[in-house]
Amino acid sequence: MRTLLALLAALAAGALPGAAAAETKCSVDKFLEFPVTMVGLRPMVPATIDGHEVRFIADSGAFYSSISPGTAAELGLKLQSAPPGLIVRGIGGEANMSIAIPKDFGLGPSILHHVQFLVGGSEVGGNAGLLGQNVLGLDDVEYDLANAAIRLLKPHNCPHTILAYWAADKPISQLDIETPSEARYHTAGTVLLNGVKIRAVFDTGAPVSMLTSAAAARAGVKPDSPGVTSAGFSSGLGRHTARTWIGPFQSLKIGDEEIRKIHLRFGDLGDVDFDMLLGADFFLSHRIYVSNAQHKMYFTYNGGRVFDLSVRPQETHVAEPQTIANAAPTATPAPAAPDAAKPPEAKPADGPEPVTAADYSLRGNARAARLDFVSALADLTRACELAPDNADYRYQRALVLLRTGRRPMAMADLERALTLKPDHADALLLRANLRLRGGDRAAARADLDTADRVLAAPSDKRLELGHAYEAVGDLDAAIPQYDRWIAAHPDDSRMPNALNGRCWARALAGHDLAGAISDCDRALKLRPHTAAYLGSRGLARLRNGDLDKAMADYQAALAIEPKLAWSLYGRGIIEQKQGLAAQAKTDIAAAVALEPDLPERARKIGLAGAPD
């Protein structure tokens, strides 16, 4: 197998003509730097595949680079069989892999030829795939996400040198890490959680940091412990999802740095060989140098919240007091403990000042990921001023404006972005969403139709488009979107969501009810005991005339989530048919209290038995 490692090793050798064998002074040469655009908590790096511009998630938790099945299909890449038995495991289970070999792969300033990629797993956020350790672990690597960069570095004669070259008078923390072979080509080391040793993997591909339930339990915290709250589900490589919780811990010690009195996310992550993932949230709050030669990691704290505790990432952030201490001997005091009444302030990360519009865009997105929206808007506004005809910068600023409650200004940016680039699919989908919220279904539908025309058939955005068509009430347009996405993404962790979406659309439309029930059966097999999926199957069974099974689904759904309006309403209809007038009246009244327009919506779809 011709590996990307060998090709990049040649690139590295060619980039270092001045390195002399006789040199004795420690030096570090940079041979490749990736600009990083933070899309929420996903670090995206630009690349090209056979001349097509694409983005990869920089994923230090992936042992090898990969392309998603949807992107492979969209780019017309031919797939080959992977070596027998090659199955990649991660959060969400496992995924079978194929091999794709594009003719040209552009990375930074270089074009590499006939590079092999794994093909399989989930696709997130419109990325082409994952840039893994066969690139990021080529030699030493610096993760400077707060300054929107990842740098590949080559040290010379530095066996004992502290390599955090940027630190100046900042406290520097160190952590011994496993050798690449010991870590199975990841970055991993032992940390202390409530004084208990656990194995942590440093994973930029994981948006948020997370413990396994077993590790949390060893540290004294379980789902039923005091102060623990449910945090929904998390997904990863495979098609399964993991239930998660957030719980209180006294201390997490990572090398010389100790984070005290914190809350951490934990979950049932399946058959994994680690106890904790330290994700992109940790990387954004630190500047990190990974020395694979020394088997050490050096890092400094940027300030701000260390761990993102959103139940829905990027939306609702928990104000979490986190005390950062550095135990390494230093004359410089450690960062002060933040005020417990408010989230710690994200300090400006040390780095060069932006010059170009692209520089300002990169830093602005990084600052938005750190929740520093004031600075993010200033940077993105400067990017728009320097490049007034760039649609992407307008779209990026619109996202931050929305997060700060300035919808009219965000809509103005989207209008400008779509004037500049009418086929900007992300802007079309976002504007459709805003138009729908404003009650303009016709305009929203027009945006969705344009997006439908410009997207490739296997595009990952088909799933979002299916949900959007369903929201505007066009079920006949929604179902084909789910069909296309499901066909192109067989091992994606969002498969249960897609199957439920198609089940629900078919049930509402009254079309192919047997197919709807089959979809919900598959969704529930992948994610059992999910109230929404049981409610969807209940509606399909109600419309199919199977009242007993529909009632069983509604009862199960409402036992999990008592305020599901459609399930209450459907149960009320069945109770009416069974002559249980009092129960029916109670359930229907409860449903209408939650969603007053539900009876009218039910009548519009011809739901038999809907009360007048």
Side-chain angles (χ1 to χ4, degrees), residues 284-356:
L284 275 165
S285 59
H286 295 81
R287 187 165 176 176
I288 298 170
Y289 186 110
V290 176
S291 173
N292 287 308
Q294 294 184 3
H295 314 314
K296 283 186 177 293
M297 191 174 83
Y298 301 96
F299 53 104
T300 58
Y301 174 51
N302 290 330
R305 185 183 284 112
V306 179
F307 300 118
D308 185 289
L309 299 176
S310 309
V311 174
R312 292 181 180 181
Q314 325 314 311
E315 293 180 5
T316 306
H317 290 266
V318 177
E320 175 59 42
Q322 295 172 351
T323 304
I324 308 298
N326 185 302
T330 174
T332 305
D339 184 345
K342 61 182 180 181
E345 181 182 357
K347 301 175 183 177
D350 295 331
E353 280 298 305
V355 176
T356 67

Side-chain angles (χ1 to χ4, degrees), residues 12 39-40 149 175 245 248 265 354 530 560 584 588 611:
V39 179
L175 175 70
W245 298 265
R265 191 184 308 262
T530 302
I560 300 167
I588 290 171

